[in-house]
Amino acid sequence: MKILVINCGSSSLKYQLMNMDDESVICKGLVERIGIEGSKLTHKVEGRENFVVEEAMKNHKDAMKHVFDALVSKEHGVVASLDEIDGIGHRVLHGGDIITDSTLVTEDVKKTIEKFICFGPLHNPANLMGIEACEELVKGKPNVVVMDTAFHQTMPAKNYMYAIDYDLYEKYRLRKYGFHGTSHKYIAHRMAEILNKDLSELNIINCHLGNGSSLACIKNGKVYDTSMGVTPLEGLVMGTRSGDIDPTVVTFLCENENITPHEANQWLNKKSGVLGVSKLSSDFRDLEEARDKGNEKAGLALDMFTNRVKKYIGAYMAQMPELDAIVMTGGIGENSDTMRREILHGLEHLGIELDDKKNDGTRAKEVNIAKDGAKIKIYICPTNEELMIARDTKEIISK
Ligand code: ADP
């Protein structure tokens, strides 16, 4: 069975075609700068040179057309015809409290994704365009949505409610939803395998640290708490997002910078985080390098990032009876030994003892980097959201 996985961002589209008989990747690729000058598709097949298309792609449908052409291309393709694709799985950001699990696309599902554009203004419209493009371009194939929020549905109300007027919660469904759910779910399942435990007995804190970052407190295999909120803005200090902030900052900015609420939101999402503080970059490699050369703002931004993660680890440990492991994943968690060290040092009194020798230089492999005999394990575990999306899609279309 072949499943195509689609992940549409506001101006990008990532795809991966998977053979679900052995869960191998047939090909993957990326379209960048959709609707912007300089659109580019890069199609990658293991063992072959990348195939690149640089042509104007004015929307996600244009981009999808180029992806399908690449898949069946005589020279660069991987299938003889699109008929070989059994189903398409779409990563979707927000379905509010209505779409709470992976499901087949129907008109109602699309209406719900549209309804929650208010909580996912960048992602939900792009997700919807990706779905509609697939429906039009390969007629009759089942499309499945896999929600970024789904794995967090098990949070208790005391963790997902905001302490605002209850009527506002009921009127707008304003609550914490949490994101990166597909990644947190993959890690939970994988860690249960690695630790040889039943998922229902697994207690971990998963740190998904990338451009966007979130922590999940996974108790008895289920999410008990997570750091992102009604949108992916809440929680950790991120590449360009502020994370937790006193809401007064927003009203203050609107009044004193003479900007609209929408502009304030853009400011907190796009020009804040480590980029905003460092005034330099949202990329942690740039910031680590700048700090090494004496850039104090880059140092401050990194300190704020690592300290926020540390505080959330503490908050989540306080909600767990016992902890099997802290897990590091995402671009930063998997690759940056420096960030891992700065987050985890100083937590020894809690049983978290990083072994610097195991940590330093280790990238993107499944390994325990805690000291031998330490109470709590510390794992690096590369995430695989595409595989989770493909698995859910396979399961749903097989029913
Ligand atoms: P996204 O949230 O876009 O999926 P990723 O999980 O791919 O992001 O993470 C991207 C981030 O990972 C980059 O912005 C970069 O800062 C960070 N990163 C990747 N490799 C390293 C590294 N070796 N050292 C430090 N940071 C890294």
Side-chain angles (χ1 to χ4, degrees):
M1 179 184 278
K2 293 192 179 85
I3 301 286
L4 180 64
V5 176
I6 301 291
N7 181 356
C8 285
S10 53
S11 65
S12 68
L13 186 165
K14 289 185 207 154
Y15 64 94
Q16 192 159 311
L17 183 65
M18 302 203 61
N19 179 350
M20 293 311 285
D21 300 333
D22 59 0
E23 297 193 332
S24 62
V25 177
I26 300 168
C27 71
K28 57 182 160 184
L30 165 72
V31 186
E32 297 159 282
R33 301 183 67 84
I34 298 170
I36 312 173
E37 207 182 299
S39 307
K40 179 178 173 187
L41 176 146
T42 310
H43 177 73
K44 303 173 185 175
V45 186
E46 180 91 3
R48 290 194 211 161
E49 215 169 286
N50 287 352
F51 169 51
V52 176
V53 179
E54 287 180 282
E55 247 180 69
M57 298 180 216
K58 60 180 192 301
N59 52 38
H60 288 75
K61 188 173 166 191
D62 271 358
M64 236 14 270
K65 226 182 265 168
H66 282 281
V67 171
F68 287 128
D69 285 348
L71 293 177
V72 297
S73 148
K74 282 229 157 52
E75 207 179 331
H76 308 282
V78 288
V79 288
S81 107
L82 296 177
D83 258 352
E84 287 182 36
I85 299 172
D86 297 284
I88 307 172
H90 299 263
R91 179 180 180 188
V92 175
L93 185 84
H94 223 307
D97 57 357
I98 297 180
I99 315 176
T100 55
D101 208 350
S102 303
T103 186
L104 262 186
V105 172
T106 61
E107 288 308 308
D108 278 349
V109 165
K110 285 192 282 180
K111 274 192 205 127
T112 303
I113 297 171
E114 201 173 349
K115 175 179 163 153
F116 286 100
I117 286 176
C118 55
F119 296 155
L122 294 178
H123 293 89
N124 270 30
N127 300 157
L128 208 47
M129 280 192 277
I131 294 168
E132 285 173 345
C134 288
E135 285 180 329
E136 274 182 57
L137 296 168
V138 273
K139 293 211 163 49
K141 294 285 173 193
N143 284 276
V144 168
V145 292
V146 178
M147 312 306 295
D148 233 39
T149 50
F151 191 53
H152 300 296
Q153 290 294 325
T154 50
M155 269 187 290
K158 64 182 173 188
N159 278 338
Y160 72 64
M161 287 296 292
Y162 292 124
I164 55 172
D165 188 330
Y166 198 90
D167 293 347
L168 294 173
Y169 160 66
E170 291 201 311
K171 186 171 176 189
Y172 297 111
R173 317 316 288 171
L174 269 173
R175 50 160 279 185
K176 183 189 272 284
Y177 289 95
F179 301 87
H180 289 141
T182 313
S183 172
H184 291 300
K185 182 176 175 185
Y186 172 82
I187 297 292
H189 284 250
R190 186 69 197 123
M191 285 309 299
E193 284 170 6
I194 291 172
L195 300 177
N196 199 17
K197 281 193 107 172
D198 212 71
L199 183 64
S200 64
E201 287 170 5
L202 183 78
N203 294 313
I204 59 170
I205 295 173
N206 185 38
C207 310
H208 178 112
L209 309 175
N211 280 320
S213 296
S214 71
L215 255 64
C217 170
I218 300 171
K219 192 168 161 178
N220 299 325
K222 290 180 183 158
V223 175
Y224 189 76
D225 204 355
T226 191
S227 59
M228 284 177 167
V230 65
T231 75
L233 180 58
E234 191 180 333
L236 304 175
V237 174
M238 302 179 223
T240 62
R241 293 176 222 156
S242 63
D244 296 340
I245 207 164
D246 183 335
T248 308
V249 173
V250 181
T251 46
F252 182 91
L253 286 177
C254 291
E255 283 162 11
N256 289 276
E257 288 284 319
N258 202 17
I259 55 174
T260 63
H262 174 74
E263 286 166 329
N265 197 271
Q266 292 284 101
W267 204 331
L268 294 176
N269 270 290
K270 302 240 165 215
K271 294 194 281 186
S272 301
V274 292
L275 170 69
V277 175
S278 69
K279 308 291 260 176
L280 178 72
S281 173
S282 62
D283 192 300
F284 282 70
R285 285 161 291 201
D286 297 343
L287 294 174
E288 287 181 29
E289 200 184 315
R291 179 178 63 179
D292 289 346
K293 291 184 182 147
N295 184 320
E296 284 180 16
K297 286 204 184 90
L300 173 63
L302 292 174
D303 284 350
M304 289 169 71
F305 169 79
T306 53
N307 199 53
R308 184 76 59 87
V309 179
K310 205 188 275 278
K311 286 202 272 189
Y312 266 91
I313 289 175
Y316 289 174
M317 283 187 77
Q319 297 190 84
M320 291 259 209
E322 57 181 332
L323 185 63
D324 298 315
I326 305 252
V327 188
M328 291 282 167
T329 195
I332 299 164
E334 292 168 28
N335 295 301
S336 176
D337 49 9
T338 310
M339 289 299 101
R340 289 193 300 254
R341 194 181 327 113
E342 289 172 22
I343 290 165
L344 297 165
H345 273 192
L347 299 176
E348 292 76 12
H349 62 295
L350 298 175
I352 300 168
E353 297 179 69
L354 183 74
D355 186 328
D356 288 335
K357 279 200 220 77
K358 293 182 192 163
N359 176 55
D360 292 357
T362 305
R363 297 181 60 168
K365 62 174 176 204
E366 290 175 349
V367 56
N368 179 12
I369 51 172
K371 283 189 179 153
D372 293 341
K375 190 166 154 233
I376 296 168
K377 297 182 178 69
I378 305 169
Y379 264 86
I380 300 172
C381 186
T383 194
N384 195 342
E385 289 159 290
E386 290 78 13
L387 176 61
M388 283 322 271
I389 295 172
R391 280 184 186 162
D392 273 16
T393 305
K394 177 183 170 185
E395 191 188 319
I396 285 172
I397 66 175
S398 303
K399 272 182 195 161

